[in-house]
């Protein structure tokens, strides 16, 4: 009898964690092998309600993948993700991906070109570079989706 009660308490206490896992948004990340900032960005996604899976690709194939998915060359960074039909290029904050999924604009996706210090996965102490998150439109043009100040 005590065992059943204990199991019931345990099951109820774990329910929020199980529900959160079940509700995590799947996101596929394509990256090169051993890239530490890519792994840190994947962890940022995991901590913010996504369920990322990673796939390593050779650099040339990864560049081809980016271009085939509509990422303009000027928007390229080190990793590319696919979430619910959208492309996410580079160190885009999870909150911006959530906004993209909530607003559902007619677009290819989001990009943070290069690798700005202080962006998710590029945490380097207290230094933060200013950077923009760009919305990539279907025609390849871009507009600023959000801006992050530096220090």
């Amino acid at each position: 009898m005590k065992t059943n009660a204990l199991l019931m308490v345990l099951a109820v206490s774990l329910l929020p964690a199980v529900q959160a896992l079940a509700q995590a948004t799947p996101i596929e990340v394509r990256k090169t092998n051993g890239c530490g900032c890519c792994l840190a960005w994947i962890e940022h996604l995991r901590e913010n309600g996504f369920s990322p899976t990673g796939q390593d690709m050779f650099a040339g194939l990864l560049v081809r993948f980016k271009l085939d998915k509509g990422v303009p060359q000027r928007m390229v960074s080190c990793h590319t993700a696919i979430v619910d039909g959208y492309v996410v290029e580079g160190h885009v904050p999870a909150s911006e991906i959530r906004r993209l999924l909530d607003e559902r604009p007619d677009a290819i996706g989001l990009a943070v070109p290069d690798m700005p210090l202080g962006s998710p996965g590029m945490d380097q102490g207290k230094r933060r570079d200013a950077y923009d998150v760009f919305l990539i439109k279907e025609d390849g043009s871009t507009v600023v989706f959000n801006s992050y100040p530096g220090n």
Side-chain angles (χ1 to χ4, degrees):
M1 184 77 157
K2 287 183 181 182
T3 303
N4 285 342
L6 181 61
L7 287 174
M8 183 61 82
V9 168
L10 183 59
V12 169
S13 67
L14 290 176
L15 188 58
V18 170
Q19 287 175 327
L21 261 170
Q23 296 171 354
T25 304
I27 185 168
E28 301 172 26
V29 181
R30 310 288 172 96
K31 61 184 190 57
T32 55
N33 185 27
C35 179
C37 68
C38 294
L39 297 174
W41 186 70
I42 288 171
E43 186 57 31
H44 166 76
L45 294 176
R46 190 172 287 114
E47 291 169 354
N48 286 278
F50 289 89
S51 178
T53 55
Q55 179 181 346
D56 291 341
M57 299 179 79
F58 291 111
L61 292 176
L62 182 57
V63 169
R64 172 58 33 212
F65 178 79
K66 294 167 187 290
L67 298 176
D68 287 349
K69 292 296 181 183
V71 177
Q73 191 170 6
R74 69 188 180 286
M75 291 286 122
V76 167
S77 184
C78 62
H79 52 262
T80 306
I82 305 296
V83 60
D84 203 16
Y86 286 107
V87 174
V88 178
E89 178 68 17
H91 294 270
V92 176
S95 60
E96 303 303 333
I97 301 170
R98 284 276 172 232
R99 179 179 160 210
L100 175 77
L101 296 176
D102 288 345
E103 294 179 7
R104 311 270 333 147
D106 188 21
I108 290 171
L110 298 175
V112 171
D114 302 319
M115 298 165 64
L117 290 180
S119 61
M122 290 298 298
D123 304 318
Q124 300 290 320
K126 294 181 181 183
R127 180 172 168 207
R128 299 184 64 84
D129 293 338
Y131 68 95
D132 293 322
V133 177
F134 293 93
L135 180 70
I136 305 169
K137 295 184 174 184
E138 294 289 343
D139 65 0
S141 66
T142 58
V143 295
V144 174
F145 195 66
N146 202 358
S147 294
Y148 289 79
N151 62 2

